[in-house]
Amino acid sequence: MRVLSGVQPSGALHIGNYLAAIKQWIPLQEKHECLFFIVDLHAVTVPYKPQDLRQNVWNAALDYLALGLDPAKSTIFIQSHVHQHAELAWLLETITPLGELERMTQFKEKSKHRQKANVGLGLFAYPALMAADILLYKTELMPVGEDQLQHVELARTLARKFNHLFGRTFPEPKSQVAKIGARIMSLADPTKKMSKSLGPAHFLAIFEPEEDIRQKIKSAVTDSGKEIVYDVKKKPAISNLLTIYSLCADKPISEIEKQYQGKGYAGFKSDLAEVVIETFRPFRRKREELLQNITEVRNILSRGAETARSIAEKTMKEVKEKMGLL
Ligand code: ATP
Ligand code: LTN
């Protein structure tokens, strides 16, 4: 089975990206043909600084490798190094209904606080580019967080539509979503999804200094009352922290609730900080090693792009023929 997924280099990768997405990618490498990429063409759909983007792409590459993506098993590359992504996106845009794009929650969220003049066409067309990423490799499975399901659904719709209009070409891709932690919430506002772009108080970056992790968890908002119980409606903040604890410590939530029965938030939070730090400690060491060997990282990305391009070229040849392009 062919597997594909990616993260936007829009900031430091956070524990939501890891727990919901990257953690699921690692075991898939053992059994499937996997492609993991850094989606820089998606990251330029909102205002950004070029020097930040460059840094974020390198950081994402280091994070991928430190967290266990293995270039001997998977193809690891940067989206913009394979020009066919943009080419297929254009062709798919010609069959993408405007109504589908208008319904996209991510588009609504990212455009709602901006004036129309400051919302680019690229942000609107974002899901068509994502469909192109997926279909370019005839992907069958995408391990993603819950917020991406609507986009995956569009990729399925476009695969069906293309096949209907031009003849069978693409399999209908499926998503794989983690049972727990598919939507990690912000530490500063548990009604919002943890995200890179909300600002540093909202997320816990995987590789931020340990002291910052302690501080951020200490300042994370909590709910009224004192009990440490899982109840998403009444206690959204504590439920989110319990989810993070459970995933990092690999313990069921019910067990953690028992462990902290009659105990206060302060102790729970300081234990949680240590659990999070412990979880990422081995990856931190690996990342430091990689930092010393940046040429090797560059080579991995360049080999990855070559492999990806060879698949992409074949698909584009077929797509162009079927669409009547000479
Ligand atoms: P941005 O803030 O730039 O929109 P993001 O932090 O939301 O970025 P993405 O790069 O869009 O992250 O997402 C990468 C992967 O991580 C996707 O599979 C996405 O579903 C998942 N993901 C992102 N945020 C969360 C979250 N809070 N909980 C669970 N999964 C998440
Ligand atoms: N939009 C996704 C990243 C992404 C992706 C993809 C994920 C772009 N193309 C193809 C899976 C398959 C996000 O996480 N924001």
Side-chain angles (χ1 to χ4, degrees):
M1 192 153 54
R2 198 171 273 161
V3 176
L4 170 84
S5 201
V7 176
Q8 299 187 78
S10 44
L13 267 57
H14 56 72
I15 61 165
N17 300 139
Y18 177 73
L19 297 172
I22 301 171
K23 193 177 173 188
Q24 296 191 76
W25 304 353
I26 312 299
L28 288 169
Q29 301 181 105
E30 305 304 326
K31 286 210 190 113
H32 303 288
E33 183 188 350
C34 292
L35 296 115
F36 298 115
F37 65 147
I38 298 166
V39 300
D40 53 351
L41 296 176
H42 279 105
V44 298
T45 58
V46 291
Y48 71 98
K49 293 197 186 86
Q51 70 268 30
D52 292 347
L53 179 64
R54 260 190 289 274
Q55 197 51 52
N56 289 336
V57 170
W58 277 117
N59 282 332
L62 288 166
D63 290 0
Y64 273 14
L65 296 168
L67 292 167
L69 294 196
D70 182 348
K73 295 176 186 153
S74 297
T75 299
I76 303 167
F77 66 103
I78 298 172
Q79 185 185 28
S80 65
H81 290 183
V82 183
H83 66 76
Q84 288 88 348
H85 287 257
E87 194 180 2
L88 183 58
W90 175 257
L91 297 177
L92 291 179
E93 279 161 28
T94 64
I95 61 164
T96 306
L98 283 186
E100 297 270 349
L101 296 177
E102 280 163 355
R103 266 200 295 281
M104 292 294 170
T105 310
Q106 183 180 291
F107 173 70
K108 289 195 236 167
E109 278 296 310
K110 292 199 172 184
S111 58
K112 76 177 173 199
H113 296 303
R114 287 195 209 125
Q115 300 200 319
K116 244 188 172 172
N118 297 330
V119 176
L121 177 59
L123 185 64
F124 190 58
Y126 179 117
L129 175 60
M130 178 159 161
D133 301 337
I134 295 166
L135 302 185
L136 190 56
Y137 302 101
K138 302 197 175 185
T139 305
E140 292 159 278
L141 187 75
M142 282 96 44
V144 290
E146 203 178 82
D147 61 307
Q148 293 304 311
L149 292 181
Q150 209 181 10
H151 294 159
V152 170
E153 210 38 60
L154 178 71
R156 292 166 58 81
T157 304
L158 294 182
R160 270 197 305 272
K161 192 164 175 185
F162 189 100
N163 290 346
H164 175 72
L165 288 170
F166 303 113
R168 176 135 195 93
T169 310
F170 300 117
E172 261 184 58
K174 290 197 173 61
S175 49
Q176 175 179 306
V177 176
K179 288 201 178 67
I180 307 171
R183 193 173 171 79
I184 301 291
M185 307 310 281
S186 148
L187 294 183
D189 179 353
T191 64
K192 296 200 172 97
K193 173 186 100 79
M194 179 178 284
S195 114
K196 299 179 215 93
S197 45
L198 275 181
H202 291 268
F203 65 78
L204 267 188
I206 301 168
F207 293 108
E208 67 185 299
E210 295 185 355
E211 220 18 73
D212 294 5
I213 295 187
R214 290 194 185 93
Q215 199 47 50
K216 279 193 187 178
I217 294 185
K218 197 171 171 193
S219 333
V221 301
T222 42
D223 311 295
S224 54
K226 280 195 199 129
E227 316 74 38
I228 294 163
V229 286
Y230 187 88
D231 182 334
V232 177
K233 283 228 169 73
K234 290 194 191 130
K235 291 195 156 246
I238 290 298
S239 301
N240 188 41
L241 297 182
L242 275 167
T243 303
I244 297 171
Y245 196 131
S246 160
L247 290 168
C248 288
D250 202 14
K251 261 190 198 173
I253 290 180
S254 56
E255 208 176 291
I256 307 166
E257 286 174 328
K258 258 189 228 137
Q259 189 181 335
Y260 289 95
Q261 213 165 26
K263 296 189 180 143
Y265 288 158
F268 168 68
K269 280 172 148 189
S270 78
D271 289 355
L272 171 61
E274 297 316 312
V275 166
V276 170
I277 289 168
E278 267 320 302
T279 304
F280 295 107
R281 188 159 283 150
F283 303 132
R284 215 176 264 275
R285 242 174 269 131
K286 176 85 196 289
R287 197 177 190 284
E288 274 152 24
E289 280 165 33
L290 287 161
L291 254 181
Q292 305 307 314
N293 205 352
I294 213 75
T295 315
E296 176 55 15
V297 178
R298 203 186 289 274
N299 291 339
I300 290 169
L301 294 173
S302 139
R303 282 200 301 273
E306 241 172 73
T307 308
R309 267 195 298 268
S310 69
I311 306 173
E313 257 166 40
K314 276 199 207 113
T315 308
M316 283 316 294
K317 190 165 179 286
E318 187 184 350
V319 164
K320 283 180 165 174
E321 254 168 42
K322 289 205 165 133
M323 288 183 80
L325 297 163
L326 295 184

